[in-house]
Amino acid sequence: MRVTLLGTGDTTGTPTPGCDCDTCTAARERGVERTRFSVYVESESGETLLLDASPDLRHQLLREGLAPPDAAVITHIHFDHLDGLGNAYRLVDALPVFAADETDPETGESVAETVARKYDYLDALDVRPVAPGETFRVSGLDVTLVPVVHPPLACYGVVVEDPETGGKLAVTGDTNYAIPDASRDALRGADLLLADAIVPASLAPHHPLGGDHRDADGVPRTFGTKHMTREGALALADELDAANARFVHLAHYYPADEAFADPLAVDGETYDL
């Protein structure tokens, strides 16, 4: 399968509109961007799957020369992962959308129910609830949602396996470092791990809640409560024995001299698994 990183940024992206910080300036000078998060996967059969629907989806597909996907998976209901589904209007005749069926105590709905309610005006969308931890087949790929921790909302990582090549893609989703053990086991051993790493750990003191899940040296592996730091993502990638790890959901708060160094991803990267 071929994996294309459509969007590797956080909720404001890089460059951030109206921002002239050193990192946004460097991104413009380099001609790179980190739009809101989405991943596009093409199976050996040529069928395609979208992991999260960025509000930048139209731009992302045009930029990469890709057709609208055959199906989609939504990990949670934050707008930067969901609102691109509106692009289904007049672009596709039918789009199966897979999302978790577990009721979120915060909203009183499952992710699938929220998606169906929010987009009830789009006849093209066919929302299909799935149970986390249970593998389903879509676009010629085996897909599993795995619970992660992104308070206060229910959120899920995604494991995608290609039965033809044996390739395995693991996406942490938006999460702090306290990913449940069962989910870590499901994410383990990927050919490519895409891990949330919103900022370096050095910026944790700037968050109102500081950092959490500190390592033995006191380095926070969680920024605030919702996202991993770069150091948290590095520790997770090492623990999960990923053959290759790329970090995503990146904020423009990375210092410019660190913002484009490996393993921090930028839009447009492609991987064959």
Side-chain angles (χ1 to χ4, degrees):
M1 62 179 160
R2 167 159 286 198
V3 178
T4 301
L5 308 190
L6 293 181
T8 55
D10 70 340
T11 188
T12 67
T14 303
T16 293
C19 182
D20 61 357
C21 73
D22 289 347
T23 297
C24 288
T25 299
R28 294 185 185 100
E29 290 173 347
R30 289 167 175 255
V32 299
E33 58 184 348
R34 290 175 173 140
T35 55
R36 274 76 66 87
F37 184 77
S38 268
V39 178
Y40 190 94
V41 185
E42 182 176 359
S43 69
E44 293 299 296
S45 65
E47 297 173 277
T48 57
L49 178 66
L50 183 72
L51 306 181
D52 280 343
S54 167
D56 300 311
L57 182 60
R58 176 184 177 277
H59 166 66
Q60 293 168 342
L61 294 175
L62 288 170
R63 185 192 66 208
E64 303 303 325
L66 297 170
D70 296 315
V73 173
I74 298 297
T75 63
H76 67 296
I77 61 171
H78 278 151
F79 91 100
D80 54 324
H81 295 255
L82 173 62
D83 282 6
L85 285 180
N87 288 279
Y89 182 63
R90 292 171 59 184
L91 286 186
V92 295
D93 294 327
L95 183 69
V97 179
F98 296 83
D101 65 358
E102 293 180 320
T103 299
D104 184 346
E106 182 71 19
T107 66
E109 297 180 320
S110 67
V111 175
E113 288 170 331
T114 300
V115 173
R117 174 178 55 78
K118 186 167 183 177
Y119 292 100
D120 61 356
Y121 65 92
L122 289 178
D123 293 338
L125 296 189
D126 175 14
V127 180
R128 303 184 184 184
V130 294
E134 294 187 8
T135 300
F136 58 96
R137 176 69 60 88
V138 57
S139 297
L141 301 163
D142 292 329
V143 180
T144 310
L145 292 174
V146 296
V148 293
V149 184
H150 187 54
L153 296 176
C155 188
Y156 303 87
V158 188
V159 176
V160 181
E161 297 180 273
D162 190 328
E164 295 295 322
T165 67
K168 179 175 179 178
L169 167 67
V171 183
T172 67
D174 284 13
T175 186
N176 66 28
Y177 186 73
I179 298 172
D181 288 344
S183 296
R184 288 174 183 252
D185 288 342
L187 296 165
R188 195 178 312 279
D191 297 291
L192 176 63
L193 171 69
L194 302 179
D196 175 3
I198 194 166
V199 294
S202 61
L203 295 187
H206 297 283
H207 193 288
L209 298 177
D212 200 359
H213 306 116
R214 296 176 182 271
D215 65 17
D217 296 318
V219 176
R221 293 174 288 195
T222 292
F223 180 68
T225 63
K226 297 183 179 183
H227 296 275
M228 284 190 292
T229 62
R230 174 184 57 196
E231 288 72 12
L234 285 167
L236 183 72
D238 183 61
E239 177 195 334
L240 298 184
D241 195 26
N244 188 15
R246 301 299 287 167
F247 295 169
V248 295
H249 209 278
L250 306 169
H252 69 124
Y253 300 118
Y254 272 90
D257 61 350
E258 302 176 26
F260 305 101
D262 287 341
L264 308 186
V266 296
D267 290 11
E269 295 181 12
T270 59
Y271 299 90
D272 292 309
L273 308 182

